[in-house]
């Protein structure tokens, strides 16, 4: 998010800003490589998730997100799915 115009980027940022506390890692125990997925990005289906915080602050229109990863790129969309023009093939669950 952002452009080479600092003022424009700051204005965009302020429209999307919301208060949200992230955790802070204080030690490394190697669990990141061994543990099961648990919402490290704050995208869990929980009332305290980052997506829920944006939805409750009325920054996004739906309490939803989509994540699409390919071998050479990726797309994270908050508030719904990415526009169809970016789909290379039908979505899969």
């Amino acid at each position: 998010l952002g452009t080479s115009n600092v003022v424009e980027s700051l204005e965009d940022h302020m429209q999307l800003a919301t208060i949200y506390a992230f955790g802070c890692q204080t030690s490394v125990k190697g669990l990141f490589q061994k543990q099961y997925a648990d919402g490290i990005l704050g995208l869990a289906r929980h009332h305290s998730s980052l997506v829920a915080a944006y939805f409750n602050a009325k920054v996004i229109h739906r309490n939803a997100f989509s994540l699409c990863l390919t071998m050479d790129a990726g797309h994270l969309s908050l508030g719904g799915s990415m526009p169809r023009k970016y789909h290379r093939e039908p979505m899969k669950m």
Side-chain angles (χ1 to χ4, degrees), residues 35 48 54 68-69 73 85 87 91:
Q35 72 185 9
S48 66
Y54 274 128
C68 179
L69 300 174
K85 67 181 181 179
H87 293 191
M91 292 178 62

Side-chain angles (χ1 to χ4, degrees), residues 2-16:
T3 70
S4 59
N5 181 321
V6 176
V7 173
E8 184 179 284
S9 294
L10 185 57
E11 289 171 354
D12 287 345
H13 169 74
M14 293 311 294
Q15 290 177 3
L16 300 173

Side-chain angles (χ1 to χ4, degrees), residues 44-63:
R45 297 178 100 187
H46 194 266
H47 65 87
S48 66
S49 73
L50 178 62
V51 177
Y54 274 128
F55 178 71
N56 292 333
K58 300 192 182 342
V59 175
I60 58 177
H61 299 291
R62 292 176 40 209
N63 188 11

Side-chain angles (χ1 to χ4, degrees), residues 20 31-32 34-46 49:
Y20 188 78
L31 292 176
F32 186 76
K34 297 183 242 174
Q35 72 185 9
Y36 293 108
D38 69 349
I40 291 172
L41 291 174
L43 301 176
R45 297 178 100 187
H46 194 266
S49 73

